[in-house]
Amino acid sequence: MTSMLAATALPLYDALAPIYDAWQAADDATPFALLVHDKLERELGRAARAPVRSFLDLGCGTGALPLALARAHADWRLAGVDASAGMLAHAARRPGAERVAWLRASLARPLPLRVPFDAAGAFYDTLNHLPDAGALQAALAAAAGVLRPGGLFAFDLTNALGFERWWRGRNQWHGDGWRLTVATRYDPPARTGSADVMLERDGVVSRFSLVERWFTDSEVRQALAAAGLRVHSAEPWSPFAIDAPGKTWWISTKST
Ligand SMILES: C[S@@+](CC[C@H](N)C(=O)[O-])C[C@H]1O[C@@H](n2cnc3c(N)ncnc32)[C@H](O)[C@@H]1O
């Protein structure tokens, strides 16, 4: 089921799950999913031809985005998909979780969801975890498969600039009973970033590695076209206000 999520990434996210929300809010940061929520609320309405009343979050992690959408839209049908059982277990325990259907699945296969969604998304590097352009195409096809005709698929991808800026060096965060240390290296010819992650929690030290990659614009456009998704917009995005537009924010539409 998780063949397209690198074997090392799954234990990483399972282990991160209990501290993920605290890490996202460390040093008074706004959790990434809430930056996405703000942007989505502004942009979905502009891009959609028909009202959006259902949304599926692919790579939902601990569920912050679908839970924020549930708070904002009492009448929306919401679902979250992730490969990590640990992230989903945490999501399912959060206040409001009963409003969201949680599903453990890989993005690289057709998703077993029968009722189509008006919109879906994959955020915070979820698609950068995919190993190659073929896997990207499979994930986009899976997304298209759960959209109604004309439905929207929005996603962010860290781009070459983002890897240059954010995938070199060492960062550390800490909170109540935990410390997270991430050392990153960027390999431009390979178009990959590698991270050595050390999690210290309640006196136990665990180590993980993670590889992410960036895709060229033409790889993304080809994968979208092959999946039956038309590009609505592709814009540079600087999610961290003081930094560079190291992400590209894509909105695509399922062909009718
Ligand atoms: C960086 S986290 C982002 C979580 C959430 N979207 C957020 O904004 O906080 C990436 C998530 O994508 C999930 N993921 C990555 N590749 C996946 C795949 N191929 N299938 C399903 N889930 C995947 C991971 O388990 C993890 O929860």
Side-chain angles (χ1 to χ4, degrees):
M1 181 193 68
T2 53
S3 59
M4 289 294 181
L5 182 54
T8 48
L10 199 51
L12 166 65
Y13 284 110
D14 283 345
L16 281 183
I19 65 127
Y20 188 87
D21 297 334
W23 166 56
Q24 282 289 290
D27 305 327
D28 292 327
T30 301
F32 197 87
L34 299 187
L35 298 175
V36 166
H37 178 229
D38 268 6
K39 194 167 166 63
L40 261 187
E41 292 285 356
R42 286 196 304 274
E43 296 189 4
L44 273 187
R46 280 206 289 266
R49 292 222 189 108
V52 172
R53 293 207 182 85
S54 54
F55 189 91
L56 170 66
D57 186 17
L58 301 170
C60 64
T62 56
L65 175 61
L67 291 169
L69 289 168
R71 289 191 294 275
H73 305 282
D75 59 339
W76 281 25
R77 180 167 55 87
L78 295 159
V81 168
D82 204 284
S84 161
M87 296 292 258
L88 285 175
H90 189 80
R93 285 196 296 269
R94 295 179 73 174
E98 68 287 351
R99 281 282 319 280
V100 182
W102 306 105
L103 175 69
R104 186 175 179 218
S106 164
L107 308 188
R109 306 244 172 96
L111 292 163
L113 295 163
R114 308 239 174 279
V115 186
F117 287 80
D118 297 327
F123 303 105
Y124 202 8
D125 280 20
T126 291
L127 298 180
N128 290 103
H129 289 66
L130 296 167
D132 52 40
L136 178 65
Q137 187 181 316
L140 295 176
V146 297
L147 289 175
R148 64 162 166 73
L152 297 175
F153 183 55
F155 54 99
D156 68 64
L157 277 168
T158 296
N159 56 35
L161 179 61
F163 277 88
E164 286 284 352
R165 300 282 293 219
W166 304 326
W167 282 78
R168 294 182 197 271
R170 184 174 176 278
N171 286 294
Q172 193 169 76
W173 300 262
H174 57 87
D176 198 10
W178 62 270
R179 184 195 316 270
L180 182 66
T181 308
V182 181
T184 52
R185 297 174 301 285
Y186 175 41
D187 178 348
R191 287 198 262 139
T192 57
S194 309
D196 295 322
V197 181
M198 181 170 72
L199 174 62
E200 299 163 81
R201 187 166 165 250
D202 299 331
V204 178
V205 179
S206 319
R207 294 173 196 276
F208 307 90
S209 56
L210 175 71
V211 175
E212 293 191 19
R213 74 205 63 244
W214 61 270
F215 298 97
T216 64
D217 266 27
S218 98
E219 282 174 331
V220 180
R221 286 174 189 277
Q222 279 175 30
L224 284 165
L229 293 165
R230 194 176 50 77
V231 177
H232 173 275
S233 52
E235 289 169 1
W237 182 34
S238 181
F240 315 113
I242 55 164
D243 211 323
K247 283 186 164 283
T248 307
W249 175 273
W250 295 80
I251 299 183
S252 61
T253 311
K254 180 169 173 171
S255 306
T256 45

